[in-house]
């Protein structure tokens, strides 16, 4: 389980495979100086959202040291969500579905979270 820290107070715990995809999408938005709304359900069951702005620090901590392969279909799906009016919504179902792939399929053309 990795962690996405946004600003000083927001922390989102996600499976590494999910975190890698979210990281790639958030960085893609921030590179073009666009804020992105990220929503998720907290462990307590609350729906939380944070507007990630290019001026905010974003820190990503992965649990595993291995490089995680990204799945282009999922990157595109998450990017469409991020570009929509509701922002990047990390529903429990989407997180479960993405976590289930476990990084088994790697698309060579997909950007890595660190690039």
């Amino acid at each position: 389980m990795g962690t996405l820290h946004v600003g000083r107070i927001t922390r989102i715990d996600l499976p590494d495979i999910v975190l890698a995809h979210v990281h790639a999408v958030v960085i893609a938005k921030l590179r073009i100086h666009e804020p992105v709304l990220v929503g998720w359900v907290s462990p307590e069951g609350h729906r939380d959202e944070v507007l990630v702005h290019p001026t905010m620090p974003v820190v990503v901590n992965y649990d595993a040291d291995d490089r995680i392969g990204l799945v282009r279909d999922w990157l595109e799906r998450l990017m469409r969500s991020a570009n929509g009016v509701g922002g990047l919504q990390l529903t429990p179902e989407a997180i479960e579905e993405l976590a289930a792939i476990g990084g088994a399929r790697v698309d060579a053309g997909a950007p890595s979270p660190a690039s």
Side-chain angles (χ1 to χ4, degrees):
M1 184 73 63
T3 306
L4 173 67
H5 299 271
V6 180
R8 295 177 187 233
I9 60 169
T10 303
R11 173 185 170 149
I12 309 169
D13 294 320
L14 297 166
D16 279 2
I17 185 68
V18 177
L19 181 59
H21 286 76
V22 170
H23 183 198
V25 169
V26 167
I27 294 303
K29 296 290 281 181
L30 296 180
R31 281 186 175 153
I32 58 173
H33 303 283
E34 285 186 11
V36 60
L37 181 66
V38 179
W40 69 99
V41 176
S42 72
E44 297 82 27
H46 302 127
R47 188 169 163 270
D48 295 331
E49 292 184 337
V50 63
L51 182 64
V52 183
H53 190 274
T55 61
M56 298 173 78
V58 175
V59 178
V60 178
N61 301 111
Y62 291 95
D63 187 44
D65 292 334
D66 298 336
R67 187 175 174 106
I68 298 169
L70 300 176
V71 179
R72 182 169 299 281
D73 293 346
W74 266 98
L75 285 174
E76 290 172 0
R77 181 175 171 176
L78 293 175
M79 189 57 85
R80 277 193 305 274
S81 175
N83 288 333
V85 75
L88 179 56
Q89 295 299 315
L90 304 172
T91 65
E93 298 79 21
I95 291 171
E96 236 177 72
E97 192 176 333
L98 184 52
I101 65 168
R105 192 178 81 192
V106 178
D107 285 344
S112 72
S115 62

